[in-house]
mmCIF file of all heavy atoms in Angstrom:
data_model
loop_
_atom_site.group_PDB
_atom_site.id
_atom_site.type_symbol
_atom_site.label_atom_id
_atom_site.label_comp_id
_atom_site.label_asym_id
_atom_site.label_seq_id
_atom_site.Cartn_x
_atom_site.Cartn_y
_atom_site.Cartn_z
ATOM 1 N N LEU P 223 88.878 104.127 116.632
ATOM 2 C CA LEU P 223 89.995 103.188 116.727
ATOM 3 C C LEU P 223 89.754 101.960 115.861
ATOM 4 O O LEU P 223 90.671 101.476 115.185
ATOM 5 C CB LEU P 223 90.209 102.765 118.180
ATOM 6 C CG LEU P 223 90.881 103.778 119.111
ATOM 7 C CD1 LEU P 223 90.951 103.238 120.528
ATOM 8 C CD2 LEU P 223 92.293 104.111 118.620
ATOM 9 N N THR P 224 88.525 101.485 115.860
ATOM 10 C CA THR P 224 88.203 100.304 115.047
ATOM 11 C C THR P 224 88.333 100.599 113.563
ATOM 12 O O THR P 224 88.850 99.784 112.794
ATOM 13 C CB THR P 224 86.781 99.813 115.362
ATOM 14 O OG1 THR P 224 86.657 99.571 116.765
ATOM 15 C CG2 THR P 224 86.470 98.537 114.601
ATOM 16 N N ILE P 225 87.862 101.775 113.136
ATOM 17 C CA ILE P 225 87.953 102.161 111.730
ATOM 18 C C ILE P 225 89.399 102.143 111.261
ATOM 19 O O ILE P 225 89.711 101.656 110.167
ATOM 20 C CB ILE P 225 87.321 103.551 111.523
ATOM 21 C CG1 ILE P 225 85.808 103.473 111.692
ATOM 22 C CG2 ILE P 225 87.665 104.104 110.136
ATOM 23 C CD1 ILE P 225 85.130 104.838 111.750
ATOM 24 N N VAL P 226 90.299 102.652 112.088
ATOM 25 C CA VAL P 226 91.707 102.732 111.717
ATOM 26 C C VAL P 226 92.399 101.378 111.835
ATOM 27 O O VAL P 226 93.155 100.965 110.941
ATOM 28 C CB VAL P 226 92.426 103.778 112.591
ATOM 29 C CG1 VAL P 226 93.930 103.692 112.388
ATOM 30 C CG2 VAL P 226 91.955 105.177 112.241
ATOM 31 N N LEU P 227 92.161 100.683 112.929
ATOM 32 C CA LEU P 227 92.951 99.498 113.244
ATOM 33 C C LEU P 227 92.467 98.233 112.546
ATOM 34 O O LEU P 227 93.241 97.287 112.399
ATOM 35 C CB LEU P 227 92.966 99.275 114.761
ATOM 36 C CG LEU P 227 93.657 100.380 115.575
ATOM 37 C CD1 LEU P 227 93.599 100.060 117.066
ATOM 38 C CD2 LEU P 227 95.101 100.576 115.125
ATOM 39 N N ALA P 228 91.202 98.191 112.126
ATOM 40 C CA ALA P 228 90.701 96.979 111.461
ATOM 41 C C ALA P 228 91.494 96.658 110.189
ATOM 42 O O ALA P 228 91.937 95.515 110.000
ATOM 43 C CB ALA P 228 89.207 97.116 111.160
ATOM 44 N N PRO P 229 91.713 97.634 109.262
ATOM 45 C CA PRO P 229 92.548 97.317 108.095
ATOM 46 C C PRO P 229 93.985 96.979 108.469
ATOM 47 O O PRO P 229 94.614 96.137 107.814
ATOM 48 C CB PRO P 229 92.480 98.602 107.255
ATOM 49 C CG PRO P 229 91.267 99.313 107.722
ATOM 50 C CD PRO P 229 91.154 98.999 109.172
ATOM 51 N N LEU P 230 94.534 97.616 109.510
ATOM 52 C CA LEU P 230 95.901 97.321 109.935
ATOM 53 C C LEU P 230 96.010 95.893 110.445
ATOM 54 O O LEU P 230 96.949 95.163 110.083
ATOM 55 C CB LEU P 230 96.343 98.307 111.018
ATOM 56 C CG LEU P 230 97.732 98.067 111.617
ATOM 57 C CD1 LEU P 230 98.815 98.182 110.551
ATOM 58 C CD2 LEU P 230 98.007 99.040 112.769
ATOM 59 N N ALA P 231 95.071 95.492 111.295
ATOM 60 C CA ALA P 231 95.086 94.123 111.815
ATOM 61 C C ALA P 231 94.957 93.110 110.679
ATOM 62 O O ALA P 231 95.663 92.091 110.657
ATOM 63 C CB ALA P 231 93.955 93.943 112.832
ATOM 64 N N ALA P 232 94.077 93.405 109.733
ATOM 65 C CA ALA P 232 93.895 92.508 108.591
ATOM 66 C C ALA P 232 95.171 92.414 107.758
ATOM 67 O O ALA P 232 95.552 91.334 107.295
ATOM 68 C CB ALA P 232 92.731 92.995 107.731
ATOM 69 N N ALA P 233 95.851 93.555 107.566
ATOM 70 C CA ALA P 233 97.100 93.568 106.802
ATOM 71 C C ALA P 233 98.171 92.732 107.486
ATOM 72 O O ALA P 233 98.923 91.987 106.833
ATOM 73 C CB ALA P 233 97.584 95.010 106.614
ATOM 74 N N ILE P 234 98.259 92.831 108.814
ATOM 75 C CA ILE P 234 99.255 92.057 109.565
ATOM 76 C C ILE P 234 98.970 90.567 109.462
ATOM 77 O O ILE P 234 99.875 89.762 109.226
ATOM 78 C CB ILE P 234 99.274 92.515 111.042
ATOM 79 C CG1 ILE P 234 99.792 93.962 111.133
ATOM 80 C CG2 ILE P 234 100.131 91.577 111.881
ATOM 81 C CD1 ILE P 234 99.666 94.567 112.516
ATOM 82 N N ILE P 235 97.709 90.185 109.616
ATOM 83 C CA ILE P 235 97.344 88.765 109.543
ATOM 84 C C ILE P 235 97.623 88.201 108.154
ATOM 85 O O ILE P 235 98.239 87.142 108.003
ATOM 86 C CB ILE P 235 95.861 88.573 109.926
ATOM 87 C CG1 ILE P 235 95.638 88.953 111.392
ATOM 88 C CG2 ILE P 235 95.424 87.129 109.679
ATOM 89 C CD1 ILE P 235 94.171 89.012 111.780
ATOM 90 N N ALA P 236 97.171 88.920 107.111
ATOM 91 C CA ALA P 236 97.378 88.443 105.743
ATOM 92 C C ALA P 236 98.853 88.426 105.366
ATOM 93 O O ALA P 236 99.299 87.570 104.601
ATOM 94 C CB ALA P 236 96.590 89.313 104.764
ATOM 95 N N GLY P 237 99.618 89.384 105.908
ATOM 96 C CA GLY P 237 101.027 89.476 105.557
ATOM 97 C C GLY P 237 101.916 88.484 106.272
ATOM 98 O O GLY P 237 102.802 87.873 105.669
ATOM 99 N N LEU P 238 101.681 88.286 107.576
ATOM 100 C CA LEU P 238 102.548 87.432 108.381
ATOM 101 C C LEU P 238 102.045 85.994 108.480
ATOM 102 O O LEU P 238 102.825 85.087 108.767
ATOM 103 C CB LEU P 238 102.717 88.028 109.780
ATOM 104 C CG LEU P 238 103.340 89.432 109.841
ATOM 105 C CD1 LEU P 238 103.503 89.879 111.293
ATOM 106 C CD2 LEU P 238 104.687 89.467 109.130
#
Side-chain angles (χ1 to χ4, degrees):
L223 284 177
T224 305
I225 290 170
V226 170
L227 296 179
L230 177 62
I234 293 172
I235 295 170
L238 300 182

